[in-house]
Amino acid sequence: MFNLPTYQKFSKTLRCLTLALVTVFVFTACQKTTSKKKITIGFSQCCQDPWRTVMNKEMLREMDFYPQAELIIKEAGSESVKQIAQIRELLNLNVDVIIIAPNESEPLTEIVEEIYDKGIPVILIDRETESEQYTAYIGADNYEIGKTACHYMASQMNEQGEIVELQMAMSISPAQDRSNGFRDALKNYPNMKIVATIGGDLEIGREITNIDRDFPAILAEHPDLTLVYGHTDIIAERAYRIARDKGKANQLFFLGVDGLTGKNGGIQMVEDGILNASLVYPTGGTESIRTAMAIVNNLPVEKRNLLNSTVINSENARIINFQMEKVLSLQEGISEQKQLTRELESIYQNQQNLIFVLIGSLLLTIILGGSFWRSLQLKKEANHSLQLKNEEVLKQQEQLMLLSQEVRHATQAKVDFFTNISHEFKTPLTLIMGCAEDLLPSPKLNKDMQQGMLLIKENANRLLRL
């Protein structure tokens, strides 16, 4: 039989089930894009030059392998105060890891220590600070680069010659280490000596200006000058052009540091005969991103990560340049493939979400169809139940009609009975009353008999009324 509370309970359960299924499908469709937390890496770049442009590109290429991570780069333009302010801006963005290429060692020490004390992983790249409070350092061993430069020059010049050292600003650690390494190694060669230095502790970024101003005078003052040691390929190349204009380039041996690829890179300078040699100075961009991701994933990392260097000369410059260009081409191809892969993943994700929606819609349609079918069944059962009850009511009504007819017949019989019985009583009573009325005036009756006759008349009249 149809039960209204049962139907209401079924309808409520069906609504809850439908809502639950829709929620599950929406959550499943969105889960893939929201399940992974976005990792933010902040990078404070001290300045912008060709070498650091290569560093930034290496970082961005490596970031292609970590789609769940974001790299935010801020460049300070060789201003330590500005770099400190930019580092605080990165901290306000709640970065997971911060990478810093210090503009100068001493001014950046305090902010690096502050970050480290807060428990935020901080990676120094290329340049160090005056403290050991940092998570990891990535860069070439500039002291060894200085020593290697000295040993290579000595091997090429029979361990003798006068040297001019073209320094970067000595307020940064690479310049200090390259100079110290070179000078310490120079102690092994008594017939080699530094006769002049350009750069020193002057303002960062003023090396070219200082070379233009001082190098012509050094060439004139030291006619026996044979070696030019530049802390970078760019400043060594600048000295070469000045010496060429003075007609003295052929008598000098030029060595720089960086060994970048590309049209204006140190490798091309060696291949073109501008520099006699260059030492590869790895940027560490790729390694810094890998180290940052290792830290985020709670993997062990080395505190000091020193990158290897090598000497590039006329014998290997063409091969290395070709190999590096090939590597760069492959890296660019990988980046393009990664971009294409991300686009395909986005399309796949959208299609997958659409499939989830379609499946959800299909299931919802099936559920609603089942609900409709079940409602029809319940309605059919209800109609059948109502039909049975209607038949039962009709039977009861028929029985009541029969009973009513029987009661009506019984009542009529009673009425007839009482009518007949009344008639039967009325005739003799009428006769009695008539006789009584005839006898009452008779003089033959004494007083007592008249009283009795009157009593007979009154009681006969009472029975007649009944």
Side-chain angles (χ1 to χ4, degrees), residues 212-232:
D212 290 343
R213 182 193 63 199
D214 299 337
F215 193 57
I218 291 173
L219 289 175
E221 185 179 350
H222 301 281
D224 296 329
L225 187 69
T226 54
L227 298 167
V228 177
Y229 168 46
H231 284 191
T232 69

Side-chain angles (χ1 to χ4, degrees), residues 302-425:
E302 296 289 337
K303 188 176 181 66
R304 291 186 61 80
N305 302 271
L306 300 179
L307 307 177
N308 296 324
S309 179
T310 187
V311 176
I312 299 172
N313 53 32
S314 58
E315 296 177 358
N316 61 12
R318 182 178 295 274
I319 296 174
I320 292 177
N321 201 14
F322 175 77
Q323 290 176 339
M324 293 300 292
E325 289 178 355
K326 195 69 176 177
V327 169
L328 289 176
S329 176
L330 290 173
Q331 289 177 336
E332 291 176 358
I334 291 173
S335 298
E336 293 175 358
Q337 291 295 324
K338 279 289 183 180
Q339 180 63 30
L340 180 60
T341 301
R342 283 196 295 268
E343 293 175 0
L344 292 175
E345 286 177 350
S346 177
I347 294 173
Y348 169 76
Q349 182 64 37
N350 293 334
Q351 291 178 342
Q352 188 179 50
N353 291 341
L354 179 60
I355 290 173
F356 274 122
V357 171
L358 292 176
I359 293 175
S361 301
L362 178 61
L363 287 178
L364 184 60
T365 303
I366 293 173
I367 292 172
L368 293 177
S371 173
F372 181 70
W373 179 82
R374 181 57 180 164
S375 298
L376 290 177
Q377 293 296 315
L378 290 173
K379 184 178 179 181
K380 185 177 180 181
E381 292 177 4
N383 290 335
H384 181 66
S385 176
L386 289 174
Q387 184 178 1
L388 293 177
K389 285 191 174 184
N390 190 37
E391 292 176 357
E392 184 179 350
V393 169
L394 290 175
K395 288 181 179 179
Q396 290 176 352
Q397 185 177 3
E398 185 178 352
Q399 290 175 355
L400 287 174
M401 290 178 65
L402 293 174
L403 289 174
S404 176
Q405 188 174 2
E406 291 177 0
V407 169
R408 200 164 46 247
H409 290 163
T411 303
Q412 187 62 40
K414 290 178 182 179
V415 170
D416 292 343
F417 171 75
F418 284 112
T419 300
N420 293 332
I421 208 77
S422 297
H423 181 71
E424 292 299 326
F425 278 111

Side-chain angles (χ1 to χ4, degrees), residues 101-154:
N103 184 56
E104 296 177 284
S105 300
E106 195 276 329
L108 273 294
T109 299
E110 183 178 352
I111 185 68
V112 171
E113 290 180 341
E114 179 183 334
I115 297 170
Y116 184 76
D117 291 338
K118 288 181 178 179
I120 301 173
V122 55
I123 300 172
L124 298 182
I125 184 171
D126 176 41
R127 301 175 181 178
E128 298 184 77
T129 60
E130 302 295 327
S131 169
E132 293 293 321
Q133 289 186 283
Y134 54 81
T135 308
Y137 166 76
I138 296 172
D141 190 336
N142 285 287
Y143 183 83
E144 285 298 322
I145 285 177
K147 289 177 64 176
T148 301
C150 182
H151 293 316
Y152 184 76
M153 280 184 163

Side-chain angles (χ1 to χ4, degrees), residues 41 43 55 58-59 62 97 99 123-125 138 283-295:
I41 301 173
F43 176 40
M55 177 192 291
E58 287 185 3
M59 286 184 168
E62 185 64 22
V97 183
I99 303 171
I123 300 172
L124 298 182
I125 184 171
I138 296 172
T283 66
T286 300
E287 290 77 8
S288 65
I289 297 300
R290 291 176 181 174
T291 302
M293 294 305 298
I295 292 172

